[in-house]
Amino acid sequence: MFSFIIKRISVAIPTFLGVTLLAFALIHMIPGDPVLLLVGERRLDPEFYRAAMQRLGLDQPLYVQYWDYLRQLLQGNLGESIVTHEPVMSEFLKLFPATVELSMAAMLFAVVCGLAAGMLAATKRGTVIDHTVMGAALTGYSMPIFWWGLILIMVFSVHLDWTPVSGRIALEYDIPAVTGFMLIDTLLSGEAGAFKSAVMHLILPAIVLGTIPMAVIARMTRSSMLEVLREDYIRTARAKGLSRSRIIIVHALRNALIPVVTVIGLQVGTLLAGAVLTETIFSWPGIGKWLIDSISRRDYPVVQGGILLIATLIIFVNLLVDILYGVINPRIRHSR
Amino acid sequence: MSLLDIRKLNVTFGHGSNPFRAVSGLDLSINSGEILGIVGESGSGKSVTMLAMMGLIDAPGIVTADTLSFAGQDLIGMKPAQKRQIIGRDIAMIFQDALTSLNPAYTVGDQLIETLKQHTPLRGAALKARALELLEQVEIPDAKSRLNAYPHQLSGGMSQRVMIAMAIACKPKLLIADEPTTALDVTVQAQIMELLVNLQKQNDMALILITHDLAVVAEIAQKMVVMYAGEVVETSATDTLFATPRHPYTQALLSSIPEHSKGARRLNTLAGVVPGQYDRPAGCLLSPRCLYASAHCVSQHPPLIPIAGTSVRCFTPLDSNGIPSHE
């Protein structure tokens, strides 16, 4: 197992390098530069502009800039924001819990609803229930996040007034950030109603962000379940006189989960991509919104650092999925 | 009274005017402690019959029978929950491909214990002890460490032994072995058959052996049922069947055993295949392949008629010289 992890990490190194290059190239391809956006074009003093560019190292040829960036990176330095002058890492760490909280809530929604829907559809195969569930899943999968988010806000926040429109918590609460996770912090603060407010703020964004992964998980669970239900060992389980629920949950689901876990892992990438949009719609102060803001400010170090950190995260999650795989599937565990 | 009594069992798949009849009008019975062989080529409905009896045929399959009784209990009208108490405890089944019949995600011990938990009052350490005892009973070497093995770590013969251990866990009155040795090496085949026969004697079980290999059942079964295209074509005591096959299909099956045509350059075979849904003959189902078929055989469907202690579905059963008798 240990050698497997080492192997996987060493495979990830070229990926990291590729990500740095891509992030660097993409952000420098966008017209405009940070200094221009900071001071505005109107009364731009050419002398000041040149000095600022030099101070930021932006007057150097691109390959020199890239090389400097890599050198800093190897020393564990992601640089600091051109706009706020805060280290990228500390900004990331400050905002990251908000995204994690949102993503975890979305994932929870996606896994619980997706597995249930998939299993239901598989066991009621060919019936109205199956077609309804799968139709809903396809609709969810095809839903553009920004549109879906706005519709939900219109229905549940504006018309029904069930949930707040945006943010992480109502303005009346001032919650000290201990862990960065609003649900935990509100509980720690002991303020009455704060936890409920945090939950209410989380529901809609979590549903919006979780919809696509839920649809993918539901479809995958259904097809995987149908395949497993045809297996010989399901016949054996039935010949043992086991109840239908035990056959489905104990014998079928465990085997059906193997491909589903991979899909869940892959959805983490989709989730982070979706978080960028979801956080923007709901003014959720996480890394998605941070990245979008930084791109419009041409805050090169933040964009490069942010993308790299997200890529690291995805690689890490995929590694985790591979390890989890072995836990579920003994055939993989033993072949290593 | 026989242990298992099946009368007029029908299993059909599909709806409409032309459903596929996998089994039609099948009668079968077996007494306690008896060994019955069901033979026939692939597609003759052997396995489907047994699966239907156990209630393992799913929609769109439809199972009907006049009688389907086991140890005096009516299986066909029984509630599923009640039936599940019999299935796996009093009636157990093992399958052709043992490797895929075991759940890959659980250890051998887990799967054995599951059966015991379902049907016996044993709990806790007693479960493990009994599981170990069962593995030793099916002659698995180093049984203790095998309890924690996963199916993929076992050989084919070993997994069939585990399947057998699982099947006999609750001392069933009837064990159904569906081609238990087909997927195994010849040497292992003999071992598994020997084990099955020993266990049958020890536990005084009735044993139904489904096979397409007559040689497998020849030495051990007391009674034989020959099936063709979902129908019984001949039932007889094993000795009688081998000595004087009455049905042309039985004769053909016997003559295709390699040992029966020693010295011949080519093995005897029966040309053609079992008819399917769309090419089912109007008369005798064997008529397109039968060497002796007459016009009568092509137009009329023969009933199962008793002759000298056996039953044969043929208008012109063969005599002791293997020649059709003509009225």
Side-chain angles (χ1 to χ4, degrees), chain B residues 59-75:
Chain B
I62 300 164
V63 179
T64 59
D66 285 358
T67 311
L68 191 55
S69 82
F70 174 79
Q73 293 161 294
D74 174 31
L75 287 180

Side-chain angles (χ1 to χ4, degrees), chain B residues 187-260:
Chain B
T187 48
V188 184
Q189 278 183 12
Q191 292 170 12
I192 294 284
M193 284 316 297
E194 197 188 322
L195 175 68
L196 275 176
V197 173
N198 286 342
L199 289 170
Q200 186 266 338
K201 275 190 200 127
Q202 279 168 30
N203 296 354
D204 196 30
M205 299 184 292
L207 176 63
I208 296 182
L209 260 175
I210 301 175
T211 180
H212 58 251
D213 185 355
L214 275 170
V216 168
V217 284
E219 289 153 30
I220 61 169
Q222 284 119 24
K223 275 199 316 194
M224 300 273 274
V225 171
V226 182
M227 286 187 72
Y228 182 77
E231 288 182 340
V232 173
V233 293
E234 182 165 358
T235 58
S236 165
T238 309
D239 300 346
T240 322
L241 188 98
F242 275 82
T244 49
R246 297 287 182 181
H247 198 279
Y249 181 64
T250 314
Q251 185 188 45
L253 273 185
L254 286 174
S255 69
S256 65
I257 298 177
E259 284 80 358
H260 283 213

Side-chain angles (χ1 to χ4, degrees), chain A residues 99-276:
Chain A
T99 301
V100 172
E101 190 171 44
L102 175 61
S103 304
M104 277 178 24
M107 206 34 140
L108 187 73
F109 165 76
V111 169
V112 170
C113 296
L115 280 182
M119 280 168 67
L120 186 72
T123 50
K124 306 276 179 203
R125 184 191 190 181
T127 63
V128 180
I129 298 175
D130 180 17
H131 296 311
T132 313
V133 170
M134 282 304 110
L138 186 63
T139 314
Y141 186 68
S142 328
M143 202 79 82
I145 286 185
F146 55 88
W147 185 80
W148 178 226
L150 292 178
I151 293 291
L152 285 189
I153 289 176
M154 243 170 70
V155 174
F156 291 102
S157 305
V158 179
H159 285 289
L160 296 171
D161 199 22
W162 286 358
T163 57
V165 175
S166 66
R168 288 182 84 185
I169 190 151
L171 288 172
E172 67 217 62
Y173 300 104
D174 186 22
I175 306 296
V178 182
T179 59
F181 294 95
M182 196 54 92
L183 291 182
I184 300 173
D185 287 348
T186 49
L187 281 179
L188 288 177
S189 75
E191 268 195 68
F195 179 71
K196 191 180 167 224
S197 171
V199 171
M200 293 310 276
H201 277 82
L202 186 57
I203 291 176
L204 274 197
I207 291 178
V208 169
L209 185 54
T211 298
I212 291 180
M214 180 198 71
V216 174
I217 291 169
R219 289 158 64 86
M220 194 67 211
T221 306
R222 177 181 180 271
S223 68
S224 167
M225 197 77 181
L226 284 177
E227 207 169 290
V228 168
L229 284 174
R230 277 196 296 270
E231 293 283 349
D232 286 348
Y233 53 80
I234 296 299
R235 186 183 57 191
T236 308
R238 296 178 65 192
K240 279 177 166 183
L242 304 177
S243 68
R244 189 168 163 75
S245 56
R246 186 173 169 91
I247 291 170
I248 288 172
I249 294 167
V250 176
H251 285 271
L253 187 61
R254 171 107 178 235
N255 288 288
L257 271 184
I258 294 167
V260 175
V261 166
T262 320
V263 166
I264 292 176
L266 292 175
Q267 288 307 307
V268 172
T270 315
L271 218 53
L272 287 170
V276 173

Side-chain angles (χ1 to χ4, degrees), chain B residues 139-184:
Chain B
E139 295 155 21
I140 288 184
D142 196 11
K144 198 157 196 169
S145 69
R146 299 288 183 193
L147 271 182
N148 298 320
Y150 284 92
H152 70 272
Q153 295 168 312
L154 303 175
S155 66
M158 213 52 91
S159 18
Q160 192 58 287
R161 284 176 195 271
V162 171
M163 281 297 289
I164 294 172
M166 245 158 64
I168 61 162
C170 309
K171 297 204 169 70
K173 298 189 182 101
L174 171 63
L175 176 64
I176 300 160
D178 186 354
E179 311 242 7
T181 59
T182 308
L184 304 175

